[in-house]
Amino acid sequence: MDRTIADLRQDYSLQELDEKSINGNPLVQFRIWFDQAIAAELPEPNAMTLATCTCDGKPSARMVLLKDFDDRGFVLFTNYNSHKGQELGINPHAALVFWWAQLERQVRIVGGVEKISPQESDGYFEVRPHGSRLGAWASNQSEVIPHREFLQLKLAELEQKYENQSIPRPPHWGGFRVIPQEIEFWQGRSSRLHDRLLYTRLHNHEWRIERLSP
């Protein structure tokens, strides 16, 4: 008998998450989980869903790559003129979701957004692969184009233009930092009684930890 979508289910039983074993700082706890995702050789452990919203409440989401994080927040790079770039410029709030299926884990992050400094964007752009740097110039991200050959012709022009030259960072390309106000760690458990621990940033820059019902 063919299975239906409703039949698709998996019971989670690998690990547990409790208040005694976690770090009081969610950025430190994220580092622990992120390092474990890397050690488990998961495919693209830095892949995350970025959700944005227009000023009139229209949401959108897409997969992007985390490129840095520290006590200040989580950094991604994009064309500032893209849909997500424009939405973040108008409404500087976002949500991130990491899903590490093999570890039965999810991390959800909500917070404000700021552009990183031009110097930070320059530093990352310089270490990108040659083709990726050219691609940042070739693609007017999110704009309608007539066909793929349009991109290939632009790329060929840029390859000729910057032959034997350094490629500068486009002024419309750079990084955003998501400054977390809430970080939720989710560990799958049996019978759908998952562990959910929510960190909320307080006004004194400390973090409150609460357990949420699954």
Side-chain angles (χ1 to χ4, degrees), residues 175-211:
F176 283 110
R177 177 178 290 109
V178 178
I179 305 166
Q181 296 300 316
E182 295 182 354
I183 304 181
E184 179 192 322
F185 293 85
W186 180 101
Q187 178 70 60
R189 298 295 300 276
S190 184
S191 301
R192 291 295 187 264
L193 296 179
H194 311 304
D195 288 326
R196 297 176 61 191
L197 296 182
L198 174 67
Y199 292 74
T200 302
R201 189 191 296 270
L202 305 177
H203 295 299
N204 58 3
H205 300 295
E206 294 184 353
W207 293 89
R208 180 179 65 230
I209 303 175
E210 298 171 300
R211 177 173 285 272

Side-chain angles (χ1 to χ4, degrees), residues 3-60:
R3 298 177 68 189
T4 67
I5 294 176
D7 294 324
L8 298 175
R9 58 176 53 86
Q10 178 178 335
D11 198 39
Y12 301 118
S13 59
L14 284 180
Q15 301 182 58
E16 61 183 36
L17 180 66
D18 61 51
E19 293 83 345
K20 296 178 182 178
S21 63
I22 62 171
N23 193 283
N25 184 326
L27 281 307
V28 175
Q29 183 63 38
F30 181 85
R31 168 63 72 181
I32 293 170
W33 273 23
F34 189 74
D35 287 347
Q36 290 174 351
I38 293 175
E41 300 183 346
L42 303 188
E44 294 199 292
N46 60 328
M48 59 186 181
T49 299
L50 167 68
T52 57
C53 195
T54 62
C55 60
D56 59 354
K58 182 180 179 182
S60 58

